[in-house]
Amino acid sequence: MSWFTRKERGIQTPTEMKREAPDGLWYQCPSCKHVMHSREHKLNAYTCVKCNYHEKIGSEAYFSVLFDEAEYTELDADMISGDPLEFEDTKKYPDRIRDTVKKTGLKDAVRTAYGKMDDIDIVVSCMDFNFIGGSMGSVVGEKIARGIDHALQNRKPFLMISRSGGARMMEAGYSLMQMAKTSAKLALLSEAKLPYISLLTDPTTGGVTASYAMLGDFNIAEPGALIGFAGPRVIRETIGKDLPKGFQSAEFVLEHGFLDFIVDRKDLKDKLASLLRMLQ
Amino acid sequence: MPTTYLDFEKPVADLESKLIELKKLAETTQVDVSEAVARLEDSIIQLRQDTAQNLTRWQRVQLSRHPDRPYTLDYIELMCEEFIELHGDRTVRDDPAMVGGFCNMDGQTVMVIGQQKGRNTKQRQQRNFGMANPEGYRKALRLMLLAQKFNKPIVTLIDTPGAFPGLEAEERGQGEAIARNLKEMFMLKVPVVCVVIGEGASGGALGIAIGDRVLMLENTWYSVISPENCSTILWRSWNFKEQAAEAMKITAKDMQMARLVDGIVEEPLGGAHLDHKTMAETLKKTILGHIKELQQLTPEERINQRIDKFCAMGVFSE
């Protein structure tokens, strides 16, 4: 028998008396369900204080983590996608772009900025997975290419943060050629002996893996990130078997020799700064 | 006679079997049917021309996969007086899905590299359906650097449904292998001519397709994904492959209009599969012409033009 019995059923508080908790004050880790203060989560570089789960953050958050005082200058902020093929699947491509811009507040799946990271000048291009799966179309290719140009002209190191499902099918052939374009620019960066760091985050697959993401002087990744050329579903269907546990994880890719190291996001800035200082 | 007729070649197939019957009849009965034969032959040509003019994008995809179509080694045999095949990536193994070696083309030594498909079930398995593993791309790069060392032009023949999406391919770094090729090919000091001779699917094709000239045979396709896989992802069903082919605009004509490739090589009437010899002759002439042109430039000029060409690809506004 309970100590108290409810006399009246249902919620009695009138709507106007209801008090909302401020939005985004609390963050619940999707992995371990631990609840923490949003500020605490942010100070922890958007990783869980309990289980170290790395939240899939976008360009804005990475810029705030990496640039000193979160100060940076964005390049080509207004570049927007065209529709060269007049592409239509279940939706017209320009409509899809417009809806995504409205939903995300982003112009496309990558943003480029330069600024100081622990007092070192650096150019950073960072992908946004929210924008059509971080897919690579003409804007992504061109913005990365220009980011590299900026690094070349000003003799700065270049950091690429990848988070992408791969190519953007709505730009078909154009999308494919962005792999070529970015690789061409990276070849020039390499000739100029400027450092290129490629950070692979969860997930990095397809044409992005098969071009700029794997071309770093230093290929590094966040813990647990899915990294591969073909997606796990495609491989499973090809070989007709279940994939081993941990297959295509950052740890697996490190073990097979395609990454230099895995870095915790909390240590990212310090570690990159130390590395770049050694090269100066 | 082709071994296989595609669905849209059915009317032609009917006429051709009629022609055979007529010729047989002539043999057995000694009746003069030469006039009828000539008429029938004319209408076959007419019908082939009409078909060729009205091909849909999907039908060109079907032609690009025609089982009788010449493959890389067929072209090498028909175009070259001599061929010394070179094997292995010097690290893991030899990938039979990617072949290459030095050959002699009208007195010019050329490094030819390409994906290789199989003609029968056993060969298809051995060649992994033309889907190379990382070691295939690394072998290709090794051979390209070898060509550069001895200052010989490079020709790549592209014919792949994609880089192999397998377990070992991932372990051995399929993405890294392709990426490295893209970057290294931009810096090759020798002329590079690339030709899509069948299917040009995605990164698996691009991995050997960074060239001073990138050409496509008339009935081939080249894009970021196959129409079937595009259909599966965007329409969530295999059944929209025709629409996907249309929407992605993947034929030689489309790619040239978009200035994503530099030229189209004409195929014999009805497709390359009907006349390997003529196709190979045309291709050889085209390739040698381009090599001669490219040899007029300095290595620096070629590299700069190659980089500028690919960097101009893309459509956006700001």
Side-chain angles (χ1 to χ4, degrees):
Chain A
M1 206 182 118
S2 51
W3 282 25
F4 301 101
T5 26
R6 190 177 202 142
K7 282 196 281 186
E8 293 165 83
R9 301 232 138 251
I11 299 163
Q12 303 300 315
T13 321
T15 311
E16 58 269 22
M17 294 284 285
K18 214 172 92 184
R19 284 199 302 170
E20 295 272 355
D23 215 19
L25 188 60
W26 296 99
Y27 168 84
Q28 187 182 34
C29 172
S31 175
C32 74
K33 309 289 175 212
H34 180 72
V35 176
M36 67 206 89
H37 202 281
S38 286
R39 199 179 330 121
E40 192 186 12
H41 184 239
K42 189 180 170 186
L43 285 173
N44 216 35
Y46 304 94
T47 60
C48 176
V49 292
K50 200 170 163 212
C51 74
N52 200 29
Y53 171 78
H54 281 53
E55 180 58 69
K56 297 183 187 188
I57 57 174
S59 55
E60 192 62 47
Y62 273 108
F63 290 164
S64 77
V65 168
L66 291 171
F67 288 116
D68 297 346
E69 331 295 342
E71 271 175 34
Y72 58 86
T73 312
E74 190 172 347
L75 292 168
D76 311 301
D78 295 321
M79 196 187 290
I80 189 131
S81 179
D83 181 22
L85 301 173
E86 294 169 356
F87 193 94
E88 185 175 356
D89 48 277
T90 49
K91 211 178 193 177
K92 284 197 168 114
Y93 181 45
D95 293 345
R96 195 181 288 276
I97 291 277
R98 203 176 319 116
D99 293 352
T100 316
V101 168
K102 216 156 115 192
K103 202 177 76 194
T104 60
L106 298 159
K107 295 273 169 63
D108 212 296
V110 79
R111 284 172 71 215
T112 305
Y114 63 89
K116 291 205 184 282
M117 182 183 72
D118 206 7
D119 234 20
I120 302 170
D121 280 308
I122 190 164
V123 187
V124 184
S125 280
C126 181
M127 302 194 75
D128 280 293
F129 195 77
N130 287 346
F131 201 98
I132 319 187
S135 55
M136 172 180 48
S138 299
V139 174
V140 169
E142 184 66 18
K143 276 175 119 175
I144 294 172
R146 292 195 195 176
I148 299 168
D149 280 342
H150 182 88
L152 275 165
Q153 280 150 18
N154 300 283
R155 295 209 57 83
K156 290 176 189 171
F158 181 69
L159 168 65
M160 179 73 227
I161 304 174
S162 299
R163 193 193 295 285
S164 169
R168 187 171 298 169
M169 275 166 279
M170 303 84 174
E171 292 190 33
Y174 290 95
S175 168
L176 182 66
M177 296 310 164
Q178 304 313 307
M179 294 169 66
K181 181 194 283 192
T182 50
S183 303
K185 291 289 181 186
L186 287 172
L188 294 173
L189 192 73
S190 199
E191 295 272 295
K193 303 211 178 330
L194 290 165
Y196 169 40
I197 300 166
S198 169
L199 172 66
L200 294 87
T201 71
D202 189 44
T204 300
T205 58
V208 170
T209 305
S211 59
Y212 52 84
M214 273 294 167
L215 288 174
D217 296 314
F218 311 96
N219 291 335
I220 64 178
E222 288 187 348
L226 175 84
I227 298 163
F229 172 67
R233 189 185 51 84
V234 177
I235 301 171
R236 208 177 304 123
E237 279 168 14
T238 307
I239 62 171
K241 272 189 286 199
D242 277 339
L243 301 172
K245 205 166 169 285
F247 180 68
Q248 292 186 315
S249 66
E251 293 72 15
F252 168 94
V253 181
L254 176 78
E255 193 186 314
H256 284 88
F258 294 97
L259 292 175
D260 288 283
F261 54 84
I262 292 172
V263 62
D264 213 296
R265 198 185 290 150
K266 293 186 287 294
D267 309 327
L268 179 64
K269 183 173 173 173
D270 285 349
K271 193 146 183 184
L272 290 183
S274 306
L275 177 62
L276 290 174
R277 282 220 168 77
M278 283 189 201
L279 305 175
Q280 278 173 353
Chain B
M1 283 291 292
T3 58
T4 318
Y5 285 99
L6 300 168
D7 49 4
F8 59 88
E9 292 178 312
K10 185 89 187 8
V12 176
D14 290 345
L15 284 190
E16 285 189 343
S17 58
K18 250 187 221 152
L19 183 66
I20 291 170
E21 272 171 37
L22 196 61
K23 281 180 179 166
K24 249 192 224 148
L25 187 75
E27 270 171 34
T28 46
T29 58
Q30 306 288 319
V31 183
D32 181 25
V33 290
S34 56
E35 208 175 299
V37 166
R39 241 196 341 261
L40 205 47
E41 278 172 344
D42 277 351
S43 34
I44 287 173
I45 291 172
Q46 188 60 46
L47 193 56
R48 282 242 180 244
Q49 275 166 348
D50 292 348
T51 316
Q53 268 164 14
N54 298 310
L55 286 174
T56 64
R57 292 186 170 94
W58 174 249
Q59 286 168 342
R60 291 208 196 263
V61 172
Q62 288 176 291
L63 278 174
S64 78
R65 296 171 179 165
H66 198 288
D68 294 336
R69 220 178 146 79
Y71 299 141
T72 295
L73 287 174
D74 300 317
Y75 282 112
I76 290 176
E77 199 187 309
L78 290 165
M79 296 194 301
C80 310
E81 293 92 71
E82 240 185 312
F83 173 56
I84 298 178
E85 191 174 353
L86 303 169
H87 294 274
D89 73 335
R90 296 296 187 269
T91 307
V92 179
R93 64 190 266 271
D94 183 49
D95 189 343
M98 183 79 80
V99 298
F102 280 119
C103 68
N104 195 320
M105 226 188 254
D106 265 359
Q108 165 78 57
T109 304
V110 177
M111 172 61 80
V112 182
I113 299 164
Q115 286 103 351
Q116 178 65 32
K117 289 179 173 174
R119 197 64 71 192
N120 54 41
T121 311
K122 203 177 153 201
Q123 282 176 7
R124 275 194 272 272
Q125 254 169 2
Q126 186 221 345
R127 302 288 184 185
N128 202 24
F129 305 88
M131 294 186 283
N133 272 287
E135 50 272 26
Y137 292 97
R138 293 187 180 120
K139 165 179 170 181
L141 181 59
R142 182 178 80 82
L143 299 186
M144 289 187 234
L145 295 175
L146 206 55
Q148 169 171 266
K149 181 172 178 179
F150 298 106
N151 197 26
K152 302 298 173 204
I154 297 165
V155 172
T156 69
L157 302 178
I158 294 123
D159 189 9
T160 181
F164 188 57
L167 198 87
E168 289 84 7
E170 293 293 320
E171 288 178 342
R172 295 198 286 267
Q174 188 71 284
E176 194 273 346
I178 293 171
R180 177 157 310 278
N181 280 17
L182 304 184
K183 187 179 162 194
E184 298 283 335
M185 285 185 81
F186 274 110
M187 290 298 164
L188 289 170
K189 295 191 176 76
V190 293
V192 185
V193 178
C194 310
V195 190
V196 181
I197 57 167
E199 300 188 85
S202 192
L206 191 67
I208 58 165
I210 305 294
D212 302 304
R213 300 281 189 277
V214 180
L215 312 171
M216 290 175 73
L217 301 193
E218 203 181 331
N219 297 311
T220 60
W221 68 273
Y222 187 16
S223 197
V224 78
I225 191 169
S226 71
E228 288 93 332
N229 286 331
C230 178
S231 164
T232 315
I233 295 173
L234 293 183
W235 282 268
R236 307 200 177 279
S237 147
W238 196 259
N239 300 327
F240 295 85
K241 50 189 189 292
E242 284 97 341
Q243 271 115 306
E246 291 295 319
M248 290 201 296
K249 305 200 167 59
I250 61 179
T251 64
K253 222 191 260 168
D254 295 325
M255 290 293 280
Q256 194 192 30
M257 289 263 282
R259 305 183 66 175
L260 299 176
V261 300
D262 303 305
I264 301 175
V265 185
E266 204 185 325
E267 292 189 18
L269 185 60
H273 61 285
L274 293 173
D275 189 349
H276 288 202
K277 209 165 149 255
T278 308
M279 183 71 254
E281 266 166 32
T282 314
L283 185 58
K284 176 179 175 176
K285 221 195 280 165
T286 312
I287 289 172
L288 286 173
H290 282 294
I291 288 178
K292 208 168 257 174
E293 262 178 53
L294 291 165
Q295 280 169 333
Q296 306 300 311
L297 304 171
T298 65
E300 290 69 32
E301 286 171 326
R302 278 193 297 264
I303 291 172
N304 289 338
Q305 288 181 12
R306 200 183 295 153
I307 291 176
D308 289 348
K309 181 180 74 181
F310 280 94
C311 285
M313 293 174 184
V315 174
F316 50 84
S317 58
E318 35 189 340

